[in-house]
């Protein structure tokens, strides 16, 4: 069977990470979040983490060459043989092109791009209330609270708020998205793989729409 590559597209806070985790589990695929990979490098104080930190703190994108190399390395591991659910990558036209070239080497392509649409004012509310688990699981203080405040339901670890989930940085990240990433909507629409998803629905309803889109791809 040919591998299946899904790209979650949408602004910061749309629910890409939330949905990518569920969809990857449903389909038994790996979930690749470039944000999580950078944060892991930051925590482990690697050279890559040190390089990424200043960009992440300011809500800027990490340079394309660094990001593409990191994804290339991740995709070369055997657990990606059946495909992957990409979350937060690609984020620029250059990354999208590099990703296509990379996949073509494995006779693969981007199969479906769920574009999760949520209005800007809702994004700020979602990101300001986002609680993260070190494992990458995502909660929201009101919309998707853990059973015990600040504790991960699954592994009991302490939840935290991301440094870049401050109102000024959130607004800048949305600007960067509009400038650098939003053009990918037309890029993937032209390829016939884009499916618009109403991201304002409850989490389960969004998942259902995405699973349906994948089935029809
Ligand atoms: P992204 O990965 O696109 O930045 P996340 O998946 O981290 O977004 O979600 C951002 C915040 O919004 C999290 O706190 C999450 O719990 C919450 N959230 C995700 N999906 C929904 C939804 N459908 N309705 C309400 N809140 C949601
Ligand atoms: P995220 O967890 O997807 O919100 O990403 C957090 C931060 O990591 C972003 O604001 C960027 O600084 C960096 N980042 C994540 N993915 C990419 C990417 N594909 N290209 C460049 N920078 C990225």
């Amino acid at each position: 069977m040919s591998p299946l590559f899904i790209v979650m597209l949408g602004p910061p806070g749309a629910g890409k990470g939330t949905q990518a985790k569920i969809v990857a589990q449903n389909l038994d695929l790996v979930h690749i979040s470039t944000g999580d990979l950078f944060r892991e490098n930051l925590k482990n104080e690697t050279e890559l983490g040190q390089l990424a930190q200043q960009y992440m703190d300011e809500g800027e994108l990490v340079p394309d060459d660094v990001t593409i190399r990191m994804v290339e390395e991740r995709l070369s591991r055997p657990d990606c043989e059946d495909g992957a659910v990409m979350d937060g990558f690609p984020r620029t036209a250059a990354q999208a092109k590099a990703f296509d070239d990379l996949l073509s080497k494995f006779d693969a392509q981007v199969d479906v791009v769920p574009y999760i649409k949520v209005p800007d004012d809702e994004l700020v509310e979602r990101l300001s209330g986002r609680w993260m688990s070190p494992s990458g699981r995502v909660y929201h203080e009101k919309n998707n609270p853990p059973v015990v405040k600040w504790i991960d339901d699954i592994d009991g670890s302490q939840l935290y708020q991301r440094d870049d989930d401050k109102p000024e940085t959130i607004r800048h990240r949305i600007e960067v998205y509009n400038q650098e990433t939003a053009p990918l909507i037309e890029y993937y629409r032209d390829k016939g793989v884009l499916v618009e998803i109403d991201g304002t629905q409850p989490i389960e309803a969004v998942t259902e729409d995405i699973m349906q889109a994948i089935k029809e791809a």
Side-chain angles (χ1 to χ4, degrees):
M1 226 175 60
S2 58
L4 180 63
F5 284 92
I6 299 163
V7 170
M8 294 291 175
L9 193 61
K16 300 183 297 298
T18 303
Q19 296 298 332
K21 250 199 158 32
I22 302 170
V23 168
Q25 201 162 22
N26 285 352
L27 298 173
D28 201 17
L29 290 176
V30 286
H31 165 205
I32 300 182
S33 155
T34 41
D36 284 352
L37 291 175
F38 283 130
R39 278 184 289 277
E40 220 173 275
N41 275 279
L42 234 148
K43 200 169 85 186
N44 297 333
E45 298 179 352
T46 67
E47 213 173 299
L48 176 62
Q50 273 155 14
L51 188 150
Q53 176 151 36
Q54 64 179 104
Y55 298 99
M56 295 176 81
D57 284 350
E58 288 166 15
E60 293 287 340
L61 296 183
V62 178
D64 283 335
D65 57 337
V66 177
T67 305
I68 291 165
R69 232 178 304 130
M70 177 177 77
V71 170
E72 198 167 355
E73 191 281 320
R74 180 66 189 86
L75 286 175
S76 69
R77 296 198 217 153
D79 61 352
C80 298
E81 256 171 27
D82 294 333
V85 182
M86 307 301 295
D87 160 19
F89 181 92
R91 245 177 166 101
T92 65
Q95 291 180 15
K97 178 73 178 61
F99 190 41
D100 284 345
D101 292 348
L102 191 62
L103 292 182
S104 73
K105 284 190 211 156
F106 304 104
D107 277 329
Q109 68 279 316
V110 172
D111 296 288
V112 55
V113 180
Y115 163 38
I116 309 177
K117 292 172 74 169
V118 172
D120 282 5
D121 47 348
E122 169 82 14
L123 298 175
V124 178
E125 205 279 316
R126 285 191 185 182
L127 294 175
S128 315
R130 173 160 69 181
W131 293 355
M132 297 286 297
S133 165
S135 66
R137 240 182 312 281
V138 194
Y139 296 87
H140 188 279
E141 59 176 341
K142 293 196 202 96
N143 305 341
N144 184 25
V147 175
V148 180
K149 253 188 168 183
W150 295 107
I151 300 292
D152 187 318
D153 290 349
I154 309 294
D155 61 21
S157 56
Q158 182 77 36
L159 304 181
Y160 69 97
Q161 281 191 292
R162 274 170 50 174
D163 286 342
D164 58 349
D165 280 347
K166 304 188 281 269
E168 330 73 90
T169 321
I170 291 172
R171 272 189 288 274
H172 185 59
R173 282 160 57 210
I174 294 172
E175 278 167 20
V176 171
Y177 166 81
N178 285 328
Q179 207 153 19
E180 303 281 346
T181 311
L184 299 188
I185 298 165
E186 292 314 314
Y187 180 83
Y188 287 121
R189 203 195 303 278
D190 286 349
K191 288 181 180 288
V193 290
L194 191 91
V195 183
E196 295 196 8
I197 304 286
D198 175 4
T200 64
Q201 308 173 87
I203 291 172
E204 297 73 24
V206 177
T207 306
E208 245 172 68
D209 285 359
I210 294 175
M211 292 304 296
Q212 186 63 31
I214 295 168
K215 218 181 285 169
E216 288 169 6

